[in-house]
């Protein structure tokens, strides 16, 4: 479909604090793409589940809680945000130390991943239906491997640990990124991997503008 309509799907994967969000947002702005941060999906869902009293160590209770949650999309600028039961939580709520500590545990549960799978795929149609977007850029851990394995472009971002830790503390966040990456890479369902054939980009030594420039040049070549 993308060949005939020009509509492009771009998948961006990588570990925590590798620059996925800043890079994807800037590319969305430049190329008029709809930006979807699937890490924010898992964070928003974790926040809602914690509020409902869920415990990732007691997964049997989670499917019933998920049934009470209605997912929808709110467009804000170039970003498509997940709303749950009509509510988009504030950034501070989904990036709190508590959510940072719990999100990869909930994200490892099959019921949680299944719950978001169709919703995340459906975002391509949301972008197609809105004339202001020429495509979709979706970032996460399993976008090029599971959600859009046939994306027009698949990128995998990485960076050295010192740079990533410095980025998180510059954001003012408490976050054990190495621990989260380990959990995300070792889980059974949809682990963090560099999808086969993805273009690897080392964001450690490069300023944001250079990463954006590099990726945009590949997409528009
Ligand atoms: O991108 P982020 O650091 O905000 O993501 C938060 C967590 O969500 C991450 O530790 C693992 C999970 N996640 C996932 O399992 N799959 C995705 N596609 C995106 C995020």
């Amino acid at each position: 479909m993308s060949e005939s309509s020009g509509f492009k799907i771009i998948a961006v994967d990588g570990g925590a604090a590798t620059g996925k969000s800043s890079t994807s947002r800037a590319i969305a702005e430049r190329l008029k793409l709809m930006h979807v941060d699937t890490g924010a999906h898992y964070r928003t869902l974790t926040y809602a589940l914690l509020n409902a009293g869920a415990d990732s160590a007691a997964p049997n209770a989670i499917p019933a809680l998920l049934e009470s949650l209605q997912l929808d999309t709110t467009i804000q600028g170039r970003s498509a945000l997940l709303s749950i039961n009509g509510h988009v939580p504030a950034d501070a709520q989904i990036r709190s130390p508590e959510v940072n500590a719990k999100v990869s545990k909930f994200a490892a549960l099959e019921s949680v991943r299944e719950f978001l799978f169709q919703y995340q795929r459906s975002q391509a149609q949301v972008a197609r239906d809105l004339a202001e977007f020429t495509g979709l850029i979706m970032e996460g851990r399993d976008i090029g491997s599971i959600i859009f394995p046939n994306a027009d472009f698949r990128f995998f971002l990485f960076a050295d640990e010192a740079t990533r830790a410095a980025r998180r503390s510059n954001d003012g966040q408490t976050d054990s990124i190495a621990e989260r990456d380990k959990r995300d890479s070792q889980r059974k369902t949809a682990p963090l991997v560099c999808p086969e054939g993805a273009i690897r980009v080392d964001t450690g030594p490069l300023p944001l503008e250079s990463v954006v420039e590099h990726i945009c040049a590949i997409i528009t070549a």
Side-chain angles (χ1 to χ4, degrees):
M1 186 182 301
S2 56
E3 294 79 8
S4 55
S5 65
F7 185 93
K8 284 187 173 63
I9 295 185
I10 293 137
V12 179
D13 289 299
T18 52
K20 298 185 302 295
S21 291
S22 331
T23 305
S24 302
R25 255 190 222 109
I27 295 170
E29 209 46 64
R30 269 225 217 166
L31 304 182
K32 299 189 171 26
L33 306 169
M34 188 176 94
H35 166 240
V36 179
D37 173 0
T38 61
H41 294 170
Y42 285 96
R43 290 172 174 280
T44 300
L45 190 53
T46 296
Y47 174 76
L49 286 169
L50 288 172
N51 283 345
D55 178 354
S56 59
N60 291 345
I62 291 181
L65 292 174
L66 292 173
E67 268 183 37
S68 67
L69 305 178
Q70 177 68 40
L71 307 184
D72 221 323
T73 300
T74 296
I75 304 293
Q76 206 171 82
R78 296 237 162 257
S79 290
L81 308 178
L82 169 66
S83 73
I84 296 188
N85 294 343
H87 177 64
V88 179
D91 231 40
Q93 291 173 308
I94 64 165
R95 296 180 197 282
S96 67
E98 195 190 7
V99 171
N100 281 345
K102 299 275 168 65
V103 61
S104 59
K105 294 185 181 169
F106 282 101
L109 301 177
E110 215 148 314
S111 58
V112 166
R113 301 205 77 82
E114 261 172 33
F115 187 65
L116 286 176
F117 179 75
Q118 286 305 336
Y119 170 79
Q120 290 176 342
R121 280 216 173 150
S122 74
Q123 297 309 287
Q125 196 56 47
V126 172
R128 281 194 171 96
D129 287 345
L130 294 168
E132 70 257 44
F133 299 122
T134 62
L136 166 74
I137 184 164
M138 183 175 281
E139 47 150 320
R141 304 294 191 287
D142 60 345
I143 311 309
S145 56
I146 307 280
I147 306 297
F148 290 119
N150 298 318
D152 297 274
F153 295 94
R154 295 177 305 152
F155 295 95
F156 186 81
L157 273 44
F158 64 100
D160 60 279
E161 204 158 312
T163 305
R164 296 163 64 198
R167 285 179 185 156
R168 266 304 183 262
S169 85
N170 285 344
D171 291 345
Q173 281 196 44
T174 315
D175 193 358
S176 312
I177 49 174
E179 200 182 303
R180 235 164 15 97
D181 268 3
K182 195 167 157 207
R183 234 183 263 134
D184 294 340
S185 308
Q186 293 181 347
R187 69 179 174 226
K188 243 179 36 215
T189 313
L192 163 65
V193 286
C194 175
E196 219 187 302
I199 300 167
R200 291 171 58 86
V201 182
D202 183 357
T203 69
L206 296 174
L208 174 64
E209 308 77 65
S210 308
V211 177
V212 171
E213 194 62 53
H214 174 62
I215 293 180
C216 283
I218 293 172
I219 296 172
T220 56

